[in-house]
Amino acid sequence: MNKTILLTFCLFISAFVHAQNYHLDLTTFEEKYIKEILNEVSQHKDQKEYAKAISGYNEIKKYLDTIPRLIPLKLILNAEKAKLFEKLNQYDSAATLYKDSKEIFNYIPGIIQDLPDIYVDIVIGGIQVDKKTEKYPQAIQELYNALLKVPGDQGKLRSKLYYHLGYTYWYIKDLEQAEKQFRTALSYSNISPFFKNSCYMGLGDALIKKDLDSSLYYYRKAEAYFANKTDKTNYQINQTNIANALILKDSLAKAEKILLNSKEYFENIKLTPYLIPVYTLLANINLNKPDLKSALYYLEMANPITLTKGSLRHREKFFETYVEYSRTIRDSSTARHFNNQAKAVKDSIFNSEKLTQIEVYEVKHRNEINEIKIAAQNDLIASQIKQRNILLISLIVLGVLIFILFLLYKQKLKFQKDLLNKKDELANQQLATLKETQKAERIQAKLDGQQQERSRIAKDLHDSIGGNLAAIKMQLTHLKSEEEQLNYIIKNVDTTYNELRMVSQNLFVQPADKPFTLSLEDLVDQYNSNKTIVELYLFPHNQINFISNTIQTELYPVLKEILTNIFKHAEANYCNINITVHEDYLNLIIEDDGVGFNPSKANLGLGLSNIKTRINTLNGEIQIESIPNTGTTININIPLAHA
């Protein structure tokens, strides 16, 4: 813990508690004094001089005992000091500190509601000591008591307590209760991601004998989360669990590969307690190969760690594996020795007195919950009666107020009605004037557009129909009695007829007094045929009628020109037209499934030139995307600000 962390620690406590009922604003002297000692404590902890670090905490405690308002800091100090006693294996001293801290919470009213985070951390610290000293019934009792005291709206903290309750049941091999507690923890929507995935690991442990596939499923769920963490300790613990499941599924090669990686990790960072299950499982795998030499090697590696630092569950698994090894090599004496050791561990776990205590705590917890529910129900009934009386009085007062307000409202309504009539008259006049103005502008724009249309149609007649008729004339001049040449002329005449039909359609000009959307729909209907299906989508439909007359006047012939080109050249079966009005621009997209073309190599004909000229007039943009034999997409954007 460096100076920055120490300062953050003090400031956090000050900010958090000051917002509650406790004032922890440190004076300059207090802050300087405490930080100096904490700095020394930090140095001792870094050098693993835990006894000296505890002495530093004791010096701070003497000072804190003289200042009642610093109780929250004292609580945290006790928890930190207890952790140091655990490192020194002085569990009784650690348990005493946690107990003292819990007594502070018991005799100060409301402190648990004000400092729930600190309370839960102290409870969890205490039950961790209970589990290390094999006091599982006491740990379960403490967790049940904490669940009664932590408010129901503290889901994040309650999920932590249920998680630890789940693993406490797992240690005593009550797997059904363990699964229940893990699932209860997961039922809280605001459970932290860490504890959520830790509960997945817990479910994997609880289900490994009942449903191996489900167990492996939950291990895999946790794997994805812990793999992304910088500290890989929990990831490797979970990997060890996965390896255990794989061994039970006879996937020994996969399990061994995982365990060797975990072994390397834990050996490098010297986390020896976590090596116990790794060595034990590797021994188990080598017994199944069989490779008795390697099996013995891993058992001997696990032996000293298991005897000094192993939990009851780890010792039981280790002793059982050693018994299996001894029986394999026909060493009955060693097998009996470790079998007795395993039996002693099981007796310790399943001690009838402990199990009876746990059952008593469970019954007591259920009764206390029922009492809380009854008290809450009585409070609710009393509250409902009180609320009903308040509601009755409020309704009477409200009725009087409503009557008075009704009289005032009636007078105001009359005034507003007269004012609204005047506003409606003025609005109708303005609307009529606006419609007349828009109609005049539309007519003028249509007249201008018609002149341009005449010029374009004249060129179409000259270039297209004139050329075709000239060709027909030449063919008729050289006509012979050959059927092939006659068929060619007939085809040419048919083409000329179709183009004449298209030119006649282009002579149509959008009616000035007709909604723009109807004009567009009529235009599309002209081009719809069995050969080419044209679909039109307008959004928002009504808003399109209110775009400026200038845009309407130019957009109509642009769409007509594009449809003409599709009909003449694209050989398309389907054409889709989308017109969308956005906040500040209009978007037109035309797509067909025709033969397409290469835009970079295509000649800029009169039709395409006219389209680009009109779009440029509106300060718009046009993009043409086409690949031969895959269709064509034309995207046009026109700024509405142009109007």
Side-chain angles (χ1 to χ4, degrees), residues 212-482:
L212 187 56
D213 288 335
S214 294
S215 172
L216 197 55
Y217 165 76
Y218 284 111
Y219 285 145
R220 293 295 189 194
K221 286 190 75 170
E223 179 183 28
Y225 172 80
F226 289 116
N228 293 321
K229 295 297 178 184
T230 304
D231 185 351
K232 300 297 183 184
T233 301
N234 286 302
Y235 172 74
Q236 292 297 343
I237 293 172
N238 190 58
Q239 290 296 100
T240 304
N241 294 335
I242 291 173
N244 186 28
L246 291 173
I247 291 172
L248 295 174
K249 291 177 74 70
D250 292 327
S251 298
L252 301 183
K254 291 182 180 179
E256 184 175 26
K257 183 178 180 181
I258 292 173
L259 289 169
L260 290 174
N261 286 333
S262 298
K263 169 181 172 293
E264 181 181 0
Y265 175 82
F266 289 130
E267 286 178 345
N268 286 339
I269 62 174
K270 294 180 173 56
L271 281 176
T272 51
Y274 297 115
L275 285 167
I276 298 171
V278 175
Y279 288 148
T280 303
L281 291 173
L282 284 169
N284 189 286
I285 289 173
N286 283 284
L287 278 173
N288 284 281
K289 284 186 178 181
D291 182 351
L292 298 180
K293 182 178 180 181
S294 296
L296 178 61
Y297 167 77
Y298 286 118
L299 287 171
E300 292 300 319
M301 291 290 288
N303 189 25
I305 312 171
T306 305
L307 296 178
T308 56
K309 298 182 179 181
S311 66
L312 289 176
R313 293 294 297 270
H314 288 155
R315 275 183 271 167
E316 180 187 8
K317 180 68 175 177
F318 169 75
F319 293 147
E320 289 174 347
T321 305
Y322 222 124
V323 168
E324 184 181 351
Y325 168 78
S326 300
R327 287 173 177 169
T328 302
I329 63 172
R330 303 181 184 280
D331 184 350
S332 58
S333 175
T334 304
R336 277 195 305 274
H337 169 73
F338 282 106
N339 190 50
N340 291 334
Q341 295 279 63
K343 187 175 182 301
V345 171
K346 288 180 181 178
D347 291 342
S348 178
I349 294 175
F350 292 106
N351 182 290
S352 60
E353 182 180 349
K354 289 182 180 180
L355 295 177
T356 302
Q357 284 180 332
I358 291 171
E359 290 176 0
V360 170
Y361 295 147
E362 289 174 350
V363 172
K364 182 181 177 183
H365 179 67
R366 286 195 293 270
N367 291 336
E368 288 174 335
I369 289 177
N370 289 333
E371 289 175 3
I372 291 172
K373 288 181 178 178
I374 293 171
Q377 190 172 8
N378 291 335
D379 291 342
L380 179 62
I381 293 171
S383 175
Q384 288 174 341
I385 294 173
K386 184 178 179 180
Q387 289 177 355
R388 192 181 302 120
N389 293 334
I390 293 173
L391 180 61
L392 182 61
I393 296 171
S394 300
L395 286 174
I396 295 172
V397 175
L398 183 62
V400 175
L401 290 175
I402 289 174
F403 179 73
I404 295 172
L405 290 172
F406 175 74
L407 295 177
L408 295 174
Y409 174 74
K410 195 172 181 181
Q411 293 179 354
K412 183 179 179 181
L413 193 62
K414 185 177 181 303
F415 172 77
Q416 288 181 336
K417 186 176 180 181
D418 294 338
L419 182 61
L420 187 61
N421 289 336
K422 292 180 180 179
K423 287 184 177 179
D424 285 343
E425 291 176 4
L426 180 60
N428 289 334
Q429 291 174 1
Q430 291 176 341
L431 182 60
T433 302
L434 180 61
K435 286 183 177 179
E436 289 297 326
T437 303
Q438 288 181 339
K439 185 175 180 181
E441 290 176 351
R442 193 180 300 118
I443 291 171
Q444 183 59 46
K446 292 292 185 269
L447 292 173
D448 294 340
Q450 286 175 358
Q451 184 60 37
Q452 295 176 6
E453 283 295 298
R454 292 190 185 96
S455 298
R456 191 186 68 80
I457 291 171
K459 184 158 183 64
D460 285 348
L461 290 171
H462 179 270
D463 293 344
S464 179
I465 298 177
N468 287 336
L469 290 175
I472 293 171
K473 181 179 178 181
M474 292 292 293
Q475 292 293 329
L476 291 173
T477 302
H478 300 91
L479 181 61
K480 296 180 180 179
S481 59
E482 295 176 5

Side-chain angles (χ1 to χ4, degrees), residues 545-563:
N545 287 322
F546 293 97
I547 61 177
S548 70
N549 293 333
T550 304
I551 294 178
Q552 291 186 24
T553 302
E554 297 296 337
L555 188 62
Y556 186 89
V558 166
L559 181 57
K560 183 190 295 184
E561 185 65 47
I562 293 172
L563 286 171

